[in-house]
Structures are given as structure tokens and as C-alpha cells.
Amino acid sequence: MPAARTQNGRRSRPQALAPYTVVELSSRIAASFCGKFFGDFGAEVIKIEPRGGAPERRLGPFKDDRLSADGGMHLFLNTNKKSVTLEPSTATGAAIVKELLRQADVLIEGLPAGTLDAWGLTADEMERVNPNLVVASISDFGQSGPYRDYKAADIAHWAMSCLLVGSGLSDREPLRVGDDVSEYVAGLNACAIALGALFGRGMSGGQSIDLSVLEALITVQPSSALSYAYNKSHMPRAGNRFPMNIVHCKDGYIGFYPQFPHQWEMFADALGKPELKTDPRFASPLARMEHADEALAIILPWCLEHTCDEAVRIGQEYHVPFIKVANAKDVATSPQYRARNFFADIGTVGSGNVTAPGRPFGMSATPWQLVAKAPSLGQHNLEIFCNRLGFSKLEMGILAEQGVL
Amino acid sequence: MPLPLEGIRVCDLTQFWAGPFATQYLANLGAEVIKVEPAGRGDRQRTSAVPRANPGEWVAIFNGTNVNKHGCTLDITTAEGKALLRHLIAISDVVAINMSARAVKKLGLEYGYVRSVNPTAVMLSMTGFGATGPWQEYVGFGPQFEQASGITYISGYPDLEPMGNPAMGDPIGGTFGAIAILMALDHRRRTGQGQFIDLATTEGMSFINPYSSLDYTMNGRIKERNGNKHAVWSPHGAFPCKGHDEWVAIAVQNDEQFAALCRAIGKPEMAHDMRFADALSRWEKEALLREPISHWTRQRDRLEAVRLLQEAGVPSGATSTHATIVDDPQLKDRDFLWRIDRPINEGRHPYYGFPARLSKTPITARKRPPTLGEDNGYVYGELLSLAGARMAELDERGVIAKVLR
């Protein structure tokens, strides 16, 4: 069992993906996020960046808003990876990519559909070079279809997936939620599918995965097309629909959701408002929705009398879904996250301490490990091009001069 | 060609959405997923919609998340039921569970028990806040996990309370679950070692929302909600089209795309207006850009608007609804929707399919979602070798009853 070494040199636990080598052609958050899981659980991830660096190096946030080599998104997305610079758009660059693929298990790429073909890295050619290679391609709409070459962005995917018209209020502009959710969702899906394809490689050999960001985003909503087919209707967007509300407390917002009948009763007890249990206006889930405003008139004053922490403590004592709507500071200082070591310092010498989400989940035998912080641009050029592929330093100099690396 | 996870068996004790989403991923990739539902009641998701004939069989979110699985009913609170479950765990590779920590303890289904029955099992525990820590017994649904993760706080109109998407946390958490299980299976295949996966949906949602955490740790800033306004791009948002609640989302990322947008809406001179000369000035004066763009979009059908914008090279997308998404030409061309014939639902209906095309092992709907207890005969008769009379007796006494009570 290959065991990794952590930064301080201690021998550490086995890693689930230790035998694998992954080549990542950087291009978008989704591809880098997908590669992060492989690196974080022990695969060797060789991140190929254009000479100007992967796009996330420019995304920030930057300390004191001053452009630097240590933007937060780069530090987060590229933990446990190796960075090489290479321009696959040149013939020599494409040939070097092929050499790397010959020794790899997985290629992750998020370039616009058709780009690899244009570089001569066709599916047939890659299969010839390495029949065991799993190729995970992430593109906005997939590698085929009438919208293949459409230009998209997160909010466009929200629109096309149905999610946009479902979020916000019906008399206002519909809203997207979060930051670039579609990118992360696509990266997660590409990772799961690539892991599946790797697992089945013994039976099928390598294969290509053509993932569509739009399709991935569509699947994170309830089966709404099916629901429409059954009921021929759908609910207009209505923000936080009772009894699933977000309301003001003394010092912030809390969310509650007494969905089931027993939870409604506990909710009434938690608030010390037994009339919520006995009043016929609130006797059934449907009745409660119809009389939401009247119920809120009873509930809101109670919330305003309590701090978020008090409200959550009382609600949870009664086993009712109650939680603080956490802002960035609340998340960073969450006692739950602290107790579970969710955060890790992913900062480099240049950035200083950067506390960010570290392990995505706990694994008892092959836990997440921060073996290497995000690499500087081209940090591993010598290791990969000289040691691995056998170029001399002189050859590397010439290739650099020619704009290849 | 056999599917990647052919030969892997999953004992699936999950309910609602997040857990079943994780196991559907494995089922789609070829695993044999045995969905164990509470006898006489079923997965609680089955009864989450308005009752009609054949209650329990018309909930889109249930049906849409349980394709390709086998379904059986079992009362695991009885000694006989627990014994059958023990047998099922013994012949499975994966055990998945998403009950609250309290329920797990009450039923005696901790990892220690699973391991004692099957030492190499991979066990996924999915909870809102994790299997350890001060909040391990907190209750909540998807919305609460999103609210605690930080993603809800940054979403919504600036003048109102936060407004998240009340649904994404479950399927996104489920995808993390699929990834963790696949990693653990890979490790197990090489080492024979099983393990326990401790997945918290809240952590998953924080993990896909890194920017605001990074900006807080690097600059002490707390990100607030700001509608569809983007951190840097402008204009960015949804613009109203002809018709009721029809919109086009536009995301201009650079000067070139801004010039293209100005040409597309017949105002080429706007590209030379000094007020909008660069990204920062556009961002600051975005309100001034809304009217000329909306004026143009309001006169056009949403698909026509997108066609013109895409011709000009502007990242954009038209809103789909649950009614129109089945006609999307891109999704049709890629056969994204699965049309599944389920007799109890009287016909073929559209299900959201798999978000990627695999070149050698296409992922398809091999089995329609099970009616309550539909596969009891297979599970108890074939897998556990119970005699017919014994099964009838257990059914009679409610241990494996499939009738909704």
C-alpha cells in the first residue's frame, strides 16, 4: 500500500486513489474541482496550465484585493496537485500531452466542445495512445447537439435548467442562488462518473465521458418534468414558502421547517404557543399553508424576542428543524465545523494562513489529507518534463522559447 | 458491455432525497441496489404529495430518484426484520443510511454493528451535520443544511430576507456520497478493507461555496446577497421577454461580449459610451444598462432573443419551465430525458436522465422505479432463499408487508 507523506514528513494513512495518475487540462472551475477530489484522496494530479496560468488563478479573492499569485480560488481548487505549463495548441505541446496520457489513468478536461479534436487529441487518437484511459470531458451543453457551441455562464444554465424561474418571488426577477453552483455540480458529477468508469475499467477498458453542465444542473432539482407530467401544474416561485421560512431573530436570521405533523406540534410546544396546535386554521398542512400569514403573526414576535442561538437551541431541544442562516463569519466560526476539523489551512508561504473547507467528507480508513498546498505556476515542470518524460534542460529551454512550455 | 459497477450490491436504507440520490448514482452505474423501505409505510418521500389512487406511487421526486433499483419492504424494528436485514448486509458490498443519529442508535445500526456482520462493508452515513460534534443530533431538512452552510445567506434580493433554493442540498450531498463510496470501493478492491464514511450535507454545501469563506478568511469581508448581480461581470441578470414570466439570462464577461451585446440589441453606440467603457464602470452603472436591454428583450420571444444573442457571441440562455423543458432541442438531441413506462402511473413519462454520455457503457433506465415492495420476491426468495410459505407468513404478520397502512 503506497503511503503518502504529509508536509511535515510524517508517514500517514493510506489514500483511496493512490495508484492513479490524472492529467487535468485546466479550463474552468468544474474541471479543477473534479481534479481536486482525485488529488485530495491520493492520486497524482498533473495540472496542465497555459503559460498565463489556469483561469482560477485570476478569480481571487486576493488578500487586500491586491492581485497576487495566491488567489483564494486557486489555493482551494488546486490542493494536492502538480502544476506544469504547456500549450497543447502547438503540435509539440499536443505530442507532449500524449506522452503524459500514455502513463495516465484519467484525463479531465473542461475545454469548449471540440477543442481537443482541433488539437489532434481525438478520442480515437487517445484510445490508440492509451486504451485504458478514462477521459472525462466537461462542457456546457455536451460534445453534441444544436447548442453545442452556444456560449453559456452559470446564470444561463440556471435559466435553461428550470431552476431560475423557481427561485425568488413571482413578481420580481427570478434569481440564481450561490456562486457558480453549476460549475461545482458539474465537477462533482464528472468525478463520480470518472471514478465509476475507473472501477469498471477491467471489464470495459478505458472510455470517454461526455458530461453536460446543463444536464448535471437539471438533476439537482426534484423530478420536476415528471411532476408536471403527473399533475400538469407547478407551483409559482414564492420565496420561502410557509412552513419553510427564514425569519428575523434579535441578531440575525433563522430558518425553520416543521414539515411533518408531529414536528408542527413540537414546534408549537417549543414556542410556548399551544394555540398553534388547537386552532382549526392550522389543523392540517394544507390549512397551515392557507393561513400562513396568521400563523406567522403568532410566530414572528417570538423569534424577535430571541437571539438566533437561543431560538435554535430551543427548537432543536424539541427536535424541530431550526437553524441559523449562517453568514461567512458564522460558517468560519461554527462550533460544529471546528469540532469536526472541517476547515484546514490551505495557505502558502505567499498568502499566509487561509482557512478554507478542507475535507469534503470523513473516511475512516482513507481520510482526506493535505499532502501538498496548491502549486505555483509550473512548479513541477522539471519533475514532470525532465524526470518523467526525459527532456533535457536544454530541450526545455528551447521549448519554452518556442512558446510550448 | 457490462456496466462499471456490475457485481456490486448495495443495501440501501436511505429515505427522502439525499440518500436515494447517492444510491441511484450507483444503480445507474450498474450496481444492484436493494432499496429497503419500512414495511407498511415505505420511504417517507412516497407520501409527501397529495393523496390519490395508488397512494405512494405518484410522487415524482420519489419515482425520479429510485430508477434502476430493486425495492423491498422490511420492518427493521422487529427481531425477525433485523435478522433479515443482517442477512442482507452480509451479502452486500455497500450499506447506505441517512437516518438521524438518534434513529441509528435506537435501531442499533451503527458502523460497529455493520462491521460485525460484514467486516469489508463500505458504510455511508449521510446526515445533515455529521456523525460527530455538538450538532450531530440536530434535525433538519435540505433547506436547513443549506442555511447552515452559508450559501443561503448570500442568495436573495438585497432588500429582503435571504432566499435560497430549498432543494439543491439533497442531490448535491447525494453526489458527494456517490463519490465517497466509489473511492472506498476502489480502496477495498485493492486492500480488502471496508470503511465508514461520515458525510454531512451541510459540509458539502459549504464545500461548493468556497468563495465567500475565502473572502472572509483573507479579507474579513462578509458577503451579502445582491440579487443576480455578479461579483465582477456586468451586465449580468435575467431580462424579461415576451409572454408571461419568460426571461433570458445574460452574462457579459468582457468588453468584446459587451460590444456584441450592444450590436445585438441595435445600440452599437452604447459600446463606445464612456460610462460603460470597462468592466468596473459597467458594474457600477449596471442599473443604467437594464432598461435598454430589457426594452429589446421585451419585444422578443425568449428563444428568438437567445438565438440573436448567441449569433452575436453573447453568453445567454432562455428560461425553461417544467412544462417546456421536455421540448428543449439540445436535451432531445442528446436523449437526456428517459421515457419510462410505469403501468401504475398509466403510461410513459419523462424522467431526468444521466448527465453524461459514456462511450462504452451507456447509462440507461434498465428498471423502472419499484412500487412498494415490488421486488420482495426477488430479495427474500432469491437473494435470501426464503421459502414461499415463510414469505407469506412474514407478509401476513407485517414484517415484510407491502401494503401502505
Side-chain angles (χ1 to χ4, degrees):
Chain A
M1 187 70 246
R5 277 177 186 281
T6 56
Q7 283 213 319
N8 55 19
R10 269 201 320 257
R11 243 183 162 27
S12 59
R13 313 280 295 278
Q15 293 184 286
L17 304 178
Y20 298 121
T21 297
V22 175
V23 173
E24 178 193 307
L25 276 168
S26 284
S27 40
R28 62 191 303 164
I29 291 173
S32 298
F33 192 58
C34 176
K36 174 180 171 65
F37 283 87
F38 282 90
D40 279 3
F41 288 89
E44 177 186 53
V45 176
I46 301 169
K47 182 180 178 74
I48 298 179
E49 304 190 55
R51 302 210 306 168
E56 64 264 26
R57 290 186 186 268
R58 291 178 288 280
L59 286 180
F62 297 104
K63 191 152 180 68
D64 304 322
D65 297 325
R66 274 199 294 271
L67 212 65
S68 79
D70 296 295
M73 289 296 283
H74 157 63
L75 297 177
F76 173 73
L77 290 170
N78 296 320
T79 46
N80 294 314
K81 293 183 190 176
K82 293 176 178 172
S83 162
V84 299
T85 51
L86 185 61
E87 295 287 348
S89 56
T90 64
T92 316
I96 297 174
V97 172
K98 271 188 227 170
E99 280 313 301
L100 288 171
L101 294 181
R102 200 183 297 282
Q103 307 174 15
D105 301 283
V106 181
L107 168 66
I108 300 165
E109 64 99 2
L111 299 151
T115 307
L116 284 186
D117 287 347
W119 291 347
L121 297 167
T122 59
D124 286 350
E125 182 58 14
M126 288 192 282
E127 180 159 12
R128 192 187 63 77
V129 168
N130 181 352
N132 264 322
L133 186 70
V134 170
V135 178
S137 292
I138 305 168
S139 58
D140 284 309
F141 301 104
Q143 306 289 325
S144 62
Y147 295 172
R148 185 187 91 145
D149 297 323
Y150 268 25
K151 282 193 160 71
D154 182 57
I155 194 169
H157 288 304
W158 273 74
M160 298 174 77
S161 67
C162 303
L163 277 168
L164 195 67
V165 290
S167 305
L169 295 172
S170 58
D171 57 350
R172 294 182 70 167
E173 181 185 340
L175 292 177
R176 75 168 181 152
V177 167
D179 270 334
D180 291 326
V181 165
S182 61
E183 291 291 323
Y184 298 102
V185 165
L188 287 170
N189 277 275
C191 178
I193 300 166
L195 286 168
L198 261 184
F199 194 85
R201 203 166 54 155
M203 295 185 285
S204 64
Q207 61 174 325
S208 66
I209 296 161
D210 163 15
L211 182 116
S212 150
V213 175
L214 173 63
E215 292 169 10
L217 190 67
I218 288 172
T219 64
V220 306
Q221 62 196 316
S223 304
S224 48
L226 185 57
S227 175
Y228 186 80
Y230 287 166
N231 306 313
K232 295 287 175 232
S233 69
H234 57 86
M235 304 260 248
R237 62 179 175 277
N240 301 306
R241 194 191 309 269
F242 190 81
M244 189 205 78
N245 283 81
I246 292 176
V247 300
H248 263 296
C249 280
K250 245 186 204 170
D251 60 343
Y253 294 100
I254 56 153
F256 58 72
Y257 192 11
Q259 185 182 6
F260 294 122
H262 72 279
Q263 288 173 332
W264 179 257
E265 298 198 352
M266 302 295 261
F267 182 68
D269 289 338
L271 268 56
K273 311 264 184 206
E275 63 270 31
L276 289 171
K277 282 195 283 194
T278 48
D279 193 320
R281 288 175 302 171
F282 315 130
S284 72
L286 209 61
R288 292 196 277 278
M289 277 174 81
E290 276 166 16
H291 300 281
D293 290 344
E294 290 125 289
L296 284 170
I298 300 172
I299 297 161
L300 294 183
W302 182 91
C303 297
L304 284 170
E305 285 162 16
H306 293 80
T307 64
C308 293
D309 288 346
E310 286 165 3
V312 171
R313 186 180 50 74
I314 295 168
Q316 290 289 347
E317 261 171 31
Y318 284 83
H319 306 303
V320 182
F322 251 87
I323 207 72
K324 182 173 187 186
V325 181
N327 65 24
K329 183 183 180 185
D330 299 322
V331 172
T333 56
S334 157
Q336 178 68 2
Y337 282 1
R338 198 172 327 123
R340 287 170 57 76
N341 287 319
F342 173 62
F343 286 109
D345 176 11
I346 58 168
T348 57
V349 176
S351 70
N353 183 301
V354 174
T355 306
R359 55 139 190 74
F361 35 70
M363 296 184 83
S364 63
T366 57
W368 178 83
Q369 292 167 52
L370 186 56
V371 177
K373 306 279 179 80
S376 61
L377 182 59
Q379 185 181 332
H380 301 87
N381 278 5
L382 278 179
E383 177 189 331
I384 300 298
F385 295 132
C386 293
N387 293 357
R388 191 73 54 89
L389 298 184
F391 288 107
S392 68
K393 275 194 171 176
L394 181 67
E395 285 169 312
M396 278 186 63
I398 294 167
L399 288 171
E401 212 152 279
Q402 292 171 340
V404 177
L405 39 115
Chain B
M1 189 76 74
L3 290 170
L5 297 187
E6 177 110 2
I8 295 293
R9 184 177 293 136
V10 180
C11 173
D12 178 9
L13 294 161
T14 65
Q15 295 189 54
F16 298 108
W17 195 18
F21 195 93
T23 55
Q24 173 152 335
Y25 229 107
L26 306 177
N28 285 344
L29 288 168
E32 181 180 81
V33 174
I34 311 295
K35 181 178 176 68
V36 182
E37 300 185 59
R41 195 191 78 199
D43 182 336
R44 284 195 106 130
Q45 194 74 261
R46 282 186 183 270
T47 40
S48 62
V50 182
R52 56 203 276 181
N54 296 313
E57 303 298 347
W58 285 94
V59 175
I61 184 173
F62 176 88
N63 293 348
T65 316
N66 289 291
V67 179
N68 289 332
K69 298 179 189 174
H70 292 79
C72 68
T73 46
L74 184 61
D75 183 354
I76 57 177
T77 65
T78 65
E80 280 172 309
K82 184 84 182 278
L84 289 172
L85 178 64
R86 186 186 172 85
H87 196 163
L88 199 53
I89 289 172
I91 59 166
S92 295
D93 304 284
V94 176
V95 177
I97 196 163
N98 69 338
M99 295 171 203
S100 72
R102 284 193 309 146
V104 168
K105 276 174 206 148
K106 215 166 98 187
L107 292 165
L109 289 174
E110 296 97 332
Y111 177 55
Y113 169 77
V114 169
R115 193 171 50 178
S116 74
V117 175
N118 181 346
T120 67
V122 168
M123 181 174 183
L124 171 71
S125 152
M126 274 190 83
T127 54
F129 302 100
T132 62
W135 296 3
Q136 60 180 287
E137 293 197 355
Y138 271 23
V139 292
F141 297 101
Q144 281 66 54
F145 311 150
E146 290 171 41
Q147 289 155 11
S149 76
I151 199 169
T152 305
Y153 187 86
I154 64 164
S155 305
Y157 306 102
D159 55 320
L160 291 176
E161 77 275 11
M163 234 168 249
N165 175 291
M168 296 186 305
D170 279 353
I172 291 173
T175 315
F176 276 95
I179 289 172
I181 290 172
L182 287 161
M183 286 180 181
L185 283 173
D186 210 302
H187 177 73
R188 188 183 83 139
R189 184 164 63 179
R190 288 193 313 278
T191 62
Q193 187 181 26
Q195 63 178 308
F196 177 69
I197 298 158
D198 173 9
L199 178 80
T201 300
T202 304
E203 292 174 354
M205 289 307 285
S206 290
F207 207 79
I208 67 147
N209 189 41
Y211 193 95
S212 53
S213 280
L214 291 162
D215 203 22
Y216 177 75
T217 180
M218 295 174 85
N219 294 309
R221 262 197 298 260
I222 296 173
K223 187 172 157 68
E224 299 290 334
R225 58 200 166 277
N226 204 358
N228 283 327
K229 201 164 167 61
H230 190 269
V232 257
W233 299 340
S234 177
H236 182 274
F239 296 84
C241 292
K242 240 189 208 171
H244 171 67
D245 205 27
E246 305 211 346
W247 305 76
V248 55
I250 295 174
V252 169
Q253 301 161 19
N254 54 43
D255 295 344
E256 188 194 338
Q257 290 173 359
F258 181 63
L261 171 68
C262 295
R263 278 196 308 277
I265 65 169
K267 294 200 174 301
E269 70 284 0
M270 221 164 69
H272 308 294
D273 189 326
M274 284 317 287
R275 290 175 303 170
F276 311 127
D278 56 42
L280 183 62
S281 20
R282 288 194 293 273
W283 189 86
E284 284 170 350
K285 301 184 191 72
E286 185 163 294
L288 298 178
L289 289 166
R290 278 206 72 90
E291 186 37 44
I293 301 170
S294 303
H295 180 77
W296 182 84
T297 54
R298 265 194 218 100
Q299 299 169 42
R300 281 165 183 81
D301 171 79
R302 70 192 207 288
L303 297 173
E304 172 70 2
V306 163
R307 195 180 57 76
L308 294 168
L309 290 166
Q310 289 287 350
E311 264 174 26
V314 181
S316 51
T319 50
S320 285
T321 68
H322 308 145
T324 65
I325 195 165
V326 292
D327 298 320
D328 182 289
Q330 176 68 13
L331 301 175
K332 266 188 174 166
D333 189 84
R334 286 172 60 81
D335 288 324
F336 170 65
L337 291 156
W338 288 344
R339 305 271 169 182
I340 300 177
D341 192 359
R342 195 166 182 259
I344 203 165
N345 300 125
E346 297 147 23
R348 296 168 83 78
H349 293 118
Y351 289 61
Y352 293 145
F354 199 68
R357 305 299 157 275
L358 275 67
S359 60
K360 289 192 186 156
T361 60
I363 305 301
T364 57
R366 315 185 301 283
K367 189 174 182 311
R368 59 180 185 245
T371 56
L372 188 60
E374 182 173 353
D375 301 297
N376 278 4
Y378 170 70
V379 174
Y380 300 118
E382 287 185 42
L383 289 184
L384 302 189
S385 309
L386 296 192
R390 173 75 176 142
M391 277 168 59
E393 183 220 328
L394 287 170
D395 194 346
E396 180 67 34
R397 285 195 289 109
V399 178
I400 61 170
K402 50 185 179 187
V403 184
L404 265 190
R405 286 189 280 199

